[in-house]
Amino acid sequence: DQPESRTDSATPAHAKSSNQLEPDAEEAFQQFYLRQVTAEFAEDLDKIRAAGDFSDRALPVLVGALRQGTACFSAEERRRMGRAVIAAATVERGP
């Protein structure tokens, strides 16, 4: 075990390195993407859910299909947008 350096202990917890933020950025992007796509297709999704043959078992399939849309973006685009979503949420919450 090495003692913490002075700079490590003085670094705020929210100032993570970009490597530590990557999983958070991916998750933030995915959540943002799902909110946007469900808002965009809300009317169509309501029609699908109201269909007589739609069941609770179909919901995970529908969500999975919507999530597949994230593949249209490169990993770097997803991380960049995710970091922007995190930054915007941080600004909204304040210090």
Side-chain angles (χ1 to χ4, degrees), residues 13-28:
H14 67 273
K16 295 179 181 178
S17 73
S18 61
N19 287 340
Q20 290 170 316
L21 286 177
E22 297 313 306
D24 293 340
E26 286 279 348
E27 178 63 26

Side-chain angles (χ1 to χ4, degrees), residues 4-39:
E4 281 187 61
S5 73
R6 214 180 125 115
T7 55
D8 288 344
S9 62
T11 303
H14 67 273
K16 295 179 181 178
S17 73
S18 61
N19 287 340
Q20 290 170 316
L21 286 177
E22 297 313 306
D24 293 340
E26 286 279 348
E27 178 63 26
F29 169 75
Q30 194 166 81
Q31 289 176 6
F32 171 77
Y33 176 84
L34 286 175
R35 277 193 309 271
Q36 293 301 112
V37 77
T38 54

